Amino acid sequence: MLPLLQLVPAKLLNSSCSLEKTLQCSCSFHGIPTPSVQWWMGGVPVGVDGMDGSLQVTSTMLGPWANSTISLTEEPEMGMRLLCEGKNQNGTHALSILLMSRKSSLAAQAFVKGLIQGAIYAGIVIALLFLCLLPLIVKHIRKKQAKNAAAIRAKSSKVRASRELEMSLKPEEPGKPVVATFSESRILEKQDKRAS
């Protein structure tokens, strides 16, 4: 009597991609019966064990295992999808890979766009902050100028008062009439009485 083989759906066991001179992606499937492997690029099936310009596919099957490798010699289009599909009569299992160009990756473009937007927003925030603080800065400057002007006025009035006092205490010139205020004339009278 022959042993009964248990039927097993196709299952992806291993997958990898590497980039050296070319991009190589591999898929390994297991199943009973042995799964067939099909590669799809951008929704279009790629021929098995064949070369199509920039693509080369090689597949091997050994017992319940199926291995397949695809090599891309040219840069893929931005956002191109590569699909590795293994299937047998009991089921299908697939792996989808999003290919990115080295020249212009989406992540780098998103980073630069975010950096530019951040710089613009920072500039706007700084401008708004400056506009909000401008009245306070002007008020502070005017207050300081008023304080300085008051100090200069106070100093000049002290200097003027000391000059006037100096002038009033100067000896009289002979023949010139003396004009004095009431309080000054009393002081002068008292001094005259003491002198006599």
Side-chain angles (χ1 to χ4, degrees):
M1 195 159 181
L2 293 171
L4 291 174
L5 290 176
Q6 185 179 3
L7 299 177
V8 179
K11 183 175 180 182
L12 179 69
L13 296 178
N14 189 21
S15 65
S16 65
C17 283
S18 66
L19 178 65
E20 290 172 17
K21 289 182 182 176
T22 62
L23 174 68
Q24 283 194 326
C25 291
S26 296
C27 290
S28 297
F29 291 93
H30 178 268
I32 299 174
T34 306
S36 63
V37 180
Q38 176 70 56
W39 287 95
W40 299 74
M41 183 138 182
V44 178
V46 178
V48 178
D49 292 328
M51 287 186 69
D52 177 25
S54 64
L55 298 172
Q56 180 182 359
V57 177
T58 54
S59 295
T60 56
M61 292 182 196
L62 183 60
W65 292 275
N67 299 312
S68 186
T69 301
I70 189 169
S71 300
L72 286 82
T73 56
E74 294 179 6
E75 287 279 330
E77 288 181 33
M78 181 70 94
M80 178 70 73
R81 286 207 178 274
L82 186 62
L83 183 80
C84 177
E85 179 184 69
K87 70 175 163 179
N88 64 12
Q89 63 194 38
N90 299 310
T92 303
H93 200 173
L95 171 71
S96 180
I97 303 163
L98 178 64
L99 301 176
M100 306 292 282
S101 172
R102 278 184 281 178
K103 292 177 186 168
S104 57
S105 81
L106 290 174
Q109 288 177 349
F111 175 75
V112 170
K113 184 179 178 183
L115 188 65
I116 291 169
Q117 284 179 340
I120 290 170
Y121 292 150
I124 291 170
V125 167
I126 289 170
L128 289 173
L129 183 63
F130 177 74
L131 289 174
C132 290
L133 292 176
L134 189 61
L136 294 173
I137 293 169
V138 169
K139 184 178 178 182
H140 178 72
I141 290 171
R142 285 184 179 166
K143 200 174 194 180
K144 205 170 191 179
Q145 286 175 340
K147 205 177 207 181
N148 288 343
I152 290 170
R153 272 189 248 118
K155 191 174 183 180
S156 66
S157 65
K158 284 181 185 177
V159 169
R160 194 177 315 123
S162 70
R163 281 188 187 158
E164 287 174 2
L165 181 62
E166 215 175 88
M167 294 298 279
S168 66
L169 295 177
K170 270 189 178 178
E172 296 177 23
E173 292 180 25
K176 217 177 188 186
V178 178
V179 177
T181 61
F182 178 74
S183 61
E184 287 176 345
S185 61
R186 279 186 145 181
I187 293 171
L188 290 174
E189 284 175 15
K190 286 181 183 176
Q191 285 179 352
D192 287 339
K193 284 181 185 176
R194 283 188 203 156
S196 24

